[in-house]
Each structure stands twice: as structure tokens, then as C-alpha cells.
Amino acid sequence: MYRKLLRFLLAFSIIALISAYFIYRSVAGPEILAEGAETVYVEIPHGTSFEALTRILLAKKLIPNEAVFRSLAKKLNYEADPVRSGRFAVEPGMKLPDFIYRLRNGKQAPVMVVLTTERELTDVAAKVARFIEPDAQAFIQLFQKEDFLDSLGYTKENLMSLFIPNSYELYWDTSPRDFIRRMIEEHDIFWKRKDRYIRANQLELSQADVYTLASIVEKETLQNDEKKRMAGVYYNRLKIGMKLQADPTAVFASRDFNTNRVTNYHLQVDSPYNTYKYKGLPPGPIAMASIASIDAVLNHEQHDYLYFCAKGDGSGYHTFAKNLEAHKRNAEIYRENRRKRGK
């Protein structure tokens, strides 16, 4: 009798251990993703219910057993409606309980939002929307909200000067307002770095003015090593009250962004952005200005040049002149170079 009891207890223990092992394997393992696989990211929109999340995970094949997932989620107090939004990483070798803890605690995987030299606010909206949850329209609506912009000290015309081209680490579920707040922080850091705001004051220009002038330089030349000289020309014109007569502003005013050449049509467009028509800076930037262009304005070359003309030799560089007579000679050289190149 005693031996039978021992055999029964031994058999029961073995069965219990095997059962526990399989329960462990179904709950804590196997891994959601096998070792060596690529990390998978799960994007959970605002307002997602637990049921909707379960469908998302099933569609991505990240739940090895739906019943086990539901049971474990309940035990780990992860059944809230809605669940936390965000972008979450599933690394190779991750166990289901660890993934549920990550979802519950809201530990997101950030995204890199890359801003380059976008032309208009709608382009900024479209670019940002490629990286985070809100769509482009949500950003455009905020960019046009005058009372909100006024509270920040911006207008629709100069809001572009807030954005500094760079790569920014953000969370996928960042709201448009939070995005703007982050850009304000980055903007302030940028202008404090290298005492840029001090240099702007020395030039008797606001930060927005520097940015606007930089946006013109940005569209005038692709050669960073001549941007300081180019900026010096425009600064000289500003100081003596001469019209900037910047071709890129005429293009912006006409909205003819696909043109290859500026014609009399562009120069005659009646718009405050057309610096052939109106003195001083336009109401705001004509594009997002690169850091190189901003620094070129702040540290522009000091010279007596008032004119410049493309060389026309395909180099992308310009020839500078101090007076109109020299500029006309440079313009003739430009035309001759183009003729030689069959342009």
C-alpha cells in the first residue's frame, strides 16, 4: 500500500511538472520572435480598445495563443479600454509577459522625425505626418490657428522660422501641439548655441528676420562656401534701403515652383513676397532655411558687393560685383557661357 502511494505521488509529481512546464512554455515562452529575427514594431493609435489591440497583434502574428494572451493580460492588469497608445518594439527573444508589461507601462520605441529644407508649411505637415500618428491635415489646421500662433508669438507667415532642419527623436503618438512645443524648445536651444541670438541683435535683425533672409540665400545658391558672400550682398542691400530683388522671392510669389528660369512674368507678380516689387524682407521665409544658410547670414562676409550673377558654366557658383556696370559685364559673360554650353 505504501509503495503504491509513493508510485502515485511520483507519477502525479511528474505529470504536474510536465503540465507546469507546458503552462510556462505557453505563457512565458516560446519567444514571440525567434532569436535572429528582425525587431517588429506595433503602432497603437489613440483610443484603441483592448479588443482592437488583440486583433492588431493577431494580424501581426505576435500572439502565439489568443486565450493565453487574454488570460495573462488579465492577470497582469492589462485590460484597460482604451489601451495606451504608442509605438512599441518587439525584440527577438522577447517573452509574452515582458511584452505585455511593456504595453501596460507605455515604454515606447521613439521615432526619428527628419526635417530638411521643406518649402512650405504644408510640406512640413506632410513630412512630419510620415513619422508620427497625426495626419498632415491635423498639423495644417494647427499651423493656421491664429490665436494659437499668436500665443506663441508667431504668424502664419513667419511660423516656418520656428523649424530648424535636423533629426528629432519623438514618440509616435506625439500630438501636433506637443510637436510645436518640442520645436520651440529646439529652436531656443539652437539660437542660444554659439550665441546666435546675440549675433542677430548685433545685426539689428530679429531671429525671424535672420531666418527669412537665410531662406532666400538657401534658394539662391547650393554652394555652402559662397553663402556668406551671398548673404553679405543681401545684407548690404537691406542696410542702404535697396530692393533685395531676389529671384527666389519672385518664384515664391508666383507659386511657379517648377520653373527653370525666372522671367518677366515672375518679376511682375504683385505680392509682398516679391522683393522686385517691395523693399525690405518679405513677410516670412520662402522655405525652410538650412543651418548653413542661417549661420551664413549671422556671419556674412563683410564686403562692398551689391550684385551677383550666376557664372553660367555649370559650376553653380556666382560672380559678384560692386556696381551696376561690373554686374552688366558679368551678366554678358553668363550669357556667353550658356551659349557655349548650348543652353
Side-chain angles (χ1 to χ4, degrees):
M1 183 71 179
Y2 179 71
R3 288 180 180 178
K4 287 183 179 180
L5 181 60
L6 283 178
R7 285 196 295 269
F8 173 77
L9 291 175
L10 179 60
F12 180 81
S13 298
I14 292 172
I15 293 172
L17 287 172
I18 293 173
S19 299
Y21 171 75
F22 281 107
I23 291 173
Y24 169 79
R25 290 287 295 173
S26 66
V27 174
E31 297 88 355
I32 300 175
L33 290 179
E35 294 289 351
E38 292 187 1
T39 298
V40 172
Y41 294 95
V42 180
E43 294 174 348
I44 305 176
H46 279 89
T48 298
S49 67
F50 180 79
E51 290 300 322
L53 170 65
T54 302
R55 292 193 294 271
I56 291 172
L57 299 180
L58 284 170
K60 287 183 170 287
K61 299 181 180 179
L62 295 176
I63 298 179
N65 186 305
E66 182 179 351
V68 170
F69 171 73
R70 289 180 179 276
S71 175
L72 189 56
K74 185 174 183 179
K75 290 178 181 178
L76 297 178
N77 298 317
Y78 183 63
E79 286 187 309
D81 272 333
V83 295
R84 287 195 174 189
S85 62
R87 177 176 180 262
F88 302 90
V90 183
E91 295 94 354
M94 175 174 271
K95 306 289 187 179
L96 184 56
D98 296 326
F99 180 49
I100 292 175
Y101 274 123
R102 176 168 292 180
L103 294 174
R104 191 189 72 180
N105 296 332
K107 185 180 179 182
Q108 291 195 51
V111 296
M112 294 301 295
V113 175
V114 181
L115 295 180
T116 52
T117 52
E118 317 305 330
R119 185 181 289 277
E120 298 185 272
L121 290 174
T122 52
D123 299 318
V124 175
K127 175 61 74 67
V128 178
R130 286 170 49 189
F131 298 97
I132 60 179
E133 179 186 7
D135 61 18
Q137 192 58 38
F139 287 98
I140 293 172
Q141 288 176 353
L142 186 62
F143 294 166
Q144 296 176 344
K145 200 172 180 60
E146 292 186 8
D147 57 343
F148 174 70
L149 297 181
D150 186 60
S151 70
L152 302 177
Y154 286 91
T155 64
K156 290 184 292 185
E157 290 74 23
N158 67 19
L159 180 62
M160 182 67 88
S161 66
L162 173 64
F163 305 114
I164 307 298
N166 212 331
S167 296
Y168 301 100
E169 190 175 90
L170 295 170
Y171 288 126
W172 178 76
D173 59 348
T174 298
S175 70
R177 286 177 182 262
D178 285 339
F179 170 74
I180 289 292
R181 293 187 186 98
R182 173 65 182 279
M183 291 300 98
I184 291 173
E185 292 174 4
E186 296 292 343
H187 175 275
D188 292 346
I189 291 171
F190 173 81
W191 283 96
K192 288 176 183 177
R193 191 178 294 134
K194 298 182 180 181
D195 292 332
R196 289 185 174 98
Y197 73 98
I198 294 177
R199 182 58 183 152
N201 290 337
Q202 291 171 342
L203 297 176
E204 298 181 337
L205 295 173
S206 68
Q207 294 170 13
D209 287 343
V210 169
Y211 195 105
T212 297
L213 187 53
S215 72
I216 296 174
V217 173
E218 182 72 28
K219 289 300 180 182
E220 195 72 78
T221 179
L222 298 175
Q223 309 301 330
N224 284 340
D225 56 352
E226 78 169 2
K227 284 184 176 180
K228 288 185 179 181
R229 179 165 293 186
M230 183 82 66
V233 171
Y234 283 127
Y235 187 75
N236 287 346
R237 290 180 181 180
L238 276 178
K239 296 304 289 183
I240 65 173
M242 178 180 174
K243 290 179 181 176
L244 294 184
Q245 295 183 318
D247 286 359
T249 66
V251 171
F252 185 87
S254 69
R255 326 302 292 172
D256 184 17
F257 298 132
N258 294 321
T259 185
N260 293 320
R261 295 187 64 183
V262 176
T263 66
N264 192 57
Y265 159 74
H266 301 97
L267 304 184
Q268 295 303 315
V269 173
D270 189 7
S271 165
Y273 282 94
N274 188 351
T275 57
Y276 276 89
K277 286 279 188 179
Y278 298 94
K279 286 185 179 180
L281 291 166
I286 59 170
M288 189 180 291
S290 67
I291 293 175
S293 294
I294 295 171
D295 285 341
V297 172
L298 292 173
N299 304 286
H300 64 265
E301 189 176 298
Q302 297 186 22
H303 52 59
D304 296 326
Y305 295 129
L306 287 173
Y307 304 91
F308 60 86
C309 178
K311 290 187 174 183
D313 58 359
S315 68
Y317 283 91
H318 297 74
T319 303
F320 295 80
K322 296 179 180 179
N323 54 61
L324 188 57
E325 290 72 20
H327 175 61
K328 288 179 178 179
R329 290 194 296 271
N330 290 336
E332 182 54 41
I333 293 173
Y334 160 77
R335 287 188 286 270
E336 180 61 26
N337 284 338
R338 285 183 61 87
R339 282 194 292 269
K340 290 177 180 179
R341 296 174 59 229
K343 296 293 184 178

